[in-house]
Amino acid sequence: MSLAQRLWRRRPGALPVAALSLVLAFTAGTAWLMRQPAPLAGQPVVVAAIPEQAEIITSSTTPAEDGAPTEDVADDTADGMIDPNAIEISGGEEMDGSGAVQDLAPEDAMAPEKHEEAMIIVAPHRAMRAAPIVEVTEKSADGPLPRIGDGGQKPFDTYSQVTPMAIVQSGRPKITLVLGGMGLNERLTKKALDLLPGDVTLGFAPYGDNLQAQVNQARGDGHEILLQVPMEPVGYPATNPGPRTLLSDATPEQNLSALKWLMSRFAGYSGITNYMGGRLLTSEEALRPVLAELKSRGLAYLEDASVKKTRTSRLARELRLPVQHATMVIDADPSAAAISAALAQLEKEARKHGSAIATGSGLDITIETVAEWAKTLQEKGILLVPVSAAYKGRAT
């Protein structure tokens, strides 16, 4: 018998070959699934429709008389307040801001029954990956810098919290709150992490110690991070935001060198926000190269309400930079009563416009007051969202 015939007779049967193929396919499929990103893995997001309680009328109850006054219900689906100067994403979804529900006359027997929007329950602390993430990081002599990845992935998207679509598309009023000054005082930063829900965005200054460790702890607790960049105020240098402040009379090269140093202090932020800036933000010549650098690095920009009549909106349109503007500083008067009043006004603004953005500082009284206020939002039907949610549906 020839060698070929002997090998043919010893060939494996069809059943073992099929079994081996099945094992290999299962192993390959398992390996592929383990490599897929699962941003909400282990983070429960529950959407539950709660039907209205039906009125029960028995012989012991008295129906309301005709014409009796009824309780007014606040309309939580007012026009969405989005910065009109922000840029629409090409091919993106357009959110309908009206959302108003037309009241039907009681005598209209054919009117459909109205239902409350489904209750939305989200885990208060949804952990995010530690930074820096190599795909969106540029190494420099000063430290890690954000960059757009080789596949087009932007630091804004990579470092933003995952906001469920049920929240993004909800008609409920939404509030974004950014508390700054983090990293300068480790005790206050730890207090903020201990007391505040993860959807409060934190602004870190570029001057503290152990900044990367503090930022990663905050991200681990679910907080989005912004970098606070010191910008020249009116009255500089008597009023000085800190080293490497961006100046209105500096050359573009000088300001960009300072900006890169500031951005290299830590990684993990999805955008930049101003610290002061009353003079720089009104100088179009000085501001343009700064905003262009943010655009080129895939970051968003948030401007607080401390400076009026800035040149940001016009330049943002020109550069196609994603930008939003806060409408108030909640602790301009740092007292519990004043902060509570500001938060109540913020709620009214969110109900009127659909959304509202405010900023504050990482002071003891601000952290404590915001922590107690945040506990009341669910029963009020208001959603607290990270800053990235304010840019959804806009160019980023």
Side-chain angles (χ1 to χ4, degrees):
M1 183 180 294
S2 67
L3 177 60
Q5 289 173 324
R6 288 197 303 271
L7 291 175
W8 175 256
R9 293 185 64 180
R10 294 180 181 180
R11 73 188 187 280
L15 184 58
V17 171
L20 179 60
S21 300
L22 184 60
V23 169
L24 291 175
F26 178 79
T27 302
T30 301
W32 179 81
L33 287 173
M34 291 178 66
R35 295 176 63 86
Q36 302 309 300
L40 292 181
Q43 307 296 337
V45 178
V46 179
V47 179
I50 308 298
E52 295 183 9
Q53 182 177 358
E55 182 183 8
I56 301 176
I57 301 177
T58 68
S59 58
S60 61
T61 60
T62 304
E65 297 180 1
D66 292 340
T70 57
E71 182 180 357
D72 291 333
V73 180
D75 182 2
D76 289 346
T77 54
D79 291 346
M81 188 190 71
I82 298 294
D83 181 4
N85 296 313
I87 303 153
E88 183 177 338
I89 288 181
S90 177
E93 295 183 358
E94 183 72 17
M95 301 274 300
D96 182 3
S98 63
V101 178
Q102 182 177 0
D103 289 330
L104 298 174
E107 60 270 19
D108 186 352
M110 298 302 293
E113 183 181 358
K114 292 190 293 185
H115 296 279
E116 294 292 333
E117 184 179 325
M119 178 181 294
I120 301 174
I121 304 173
V122 179
H125 297 284
R126 293 169 285 144
M128 293 185 285
R129 291 172 59 187
I133 295 175
V134 64
E135 291 82 1
V136 291
T137 301
E138 171 189 326
K139 294 181 180 179
S140 76
D142 292 322
L145 288 170
R147 72 176 182 95
I148 298 177
D150 295 337
Q153 190 174 16
K154 299 176 181 177
F156 174 85
D157 300 310
T158 300
Y159 291 128
S160 290
Q161 178 61 275
V162 176
T163 302
M165 289 305 296
I167 291 179
V168 174
Q169 297 178 350
S170 171
R172 284 189 171 91
K174 303 173 186 68
I175 288 177
T176 293
L177 185 58
V178 180
L179 295 189
M182 300 296 161
L184 295 173
N185 183 312
E186 291 195 41
R187 180 190 68 82
L188 286 176
T189 302
K190 183 178 185 303
K191 182 173 185 175
L193 299 185
D194 289 341
L195 297 184
L196 298 175
D199 283 325
V200 173
T201 300
L202 301 180
F204 273 75
Y207 305 125
D209 297 325
N210 304 314
L211 283 176
Q212 192 63 67
Q214 293 185 73
V215 165
N216 282 337
Q217 183 179 357
R219 285 179 54 79
D221 284 344
H223 297 277
E224 274 189 10
I225 307 298
L226 293 179
L227 168 65
Q228 290 183 286
V229 169
M231 301 182 182
E232 181 183 357
V234 175
Y236 179 87
T239 302
N240 192 337
R244 313 281 181 126
T245 292
L246 305 186
L247 303 174
S248 58
D249 59 355
T251 67
E253 292 76 19
Q254 289 172 328
N255 273 340
L256 291 180
S257 176
L259 177 62
K260 289 178 181 178
W261 184 89
L262 295 163
M263 290 193 297
S264 69
R265 297 304 85 201
F266 60 87
Y269 48 90
S270 60
I272 301 292
T273 186
N274 62 298
Y275 178 60
M276 299 190 181
R279 177 164 294 166
L280 180 84
L281 293 172
T282 59
S283 170
E284 189 169 310
E285 182 179 0
L287 189 58
R288 179 181 283 105
V290 172
L291 298 184
E293 182 72 11
L294 303 187
K295 171 67 177 180
S296 71
R297 293 187 175 274
L299 298 169
Y301 175 68
L302 173 71
E303 193 163 277
D304 68 21
S306 65
V307 182
K308 307 299 181 184
K309 298 181 180 179
T310 73
R311 307 299 295 171
T312 306
S313 294
R314 202 193 75 77
L315 289 174
R317 289 194 301 271
E318 174 186 320
L319 298 169
R320 297 189 61 80
L321 172 72
V323 62
Q324 289 289 352
H325 297 262
T327 57
M328 69 172 67
V329 179
I330 63 169
D331 55 357
D333 178 350
S335 66
I339 295 170
S340 295
L343 292 170
Q345 182 60 36
L346 188 64
E347 292 178 22
K348 291 180 181 179
E349 185 174 312
R351 291 188 182 279
K352 179 179 180 181
H353 299 289
S355 65
I357 305 173
T359 62
S361 303
L363 305 173
D364 275 308
I365 189 62
T366 305
I367 294 170
E368 293 166 4
T369 306
V370 168
E372 291 303 311
W373 166 79
K375 297 175 184 176
T376 70
L377 294 182
Q378 183 173 326
E379 66 186 33
K380 295 174 181 177
I382 296 175
L383 297 172
L384 185 63
V385 297
V387 69
S388 63
Y391 297 86
K392 298 299 182 181
R394 299 285 155 169
T396 57

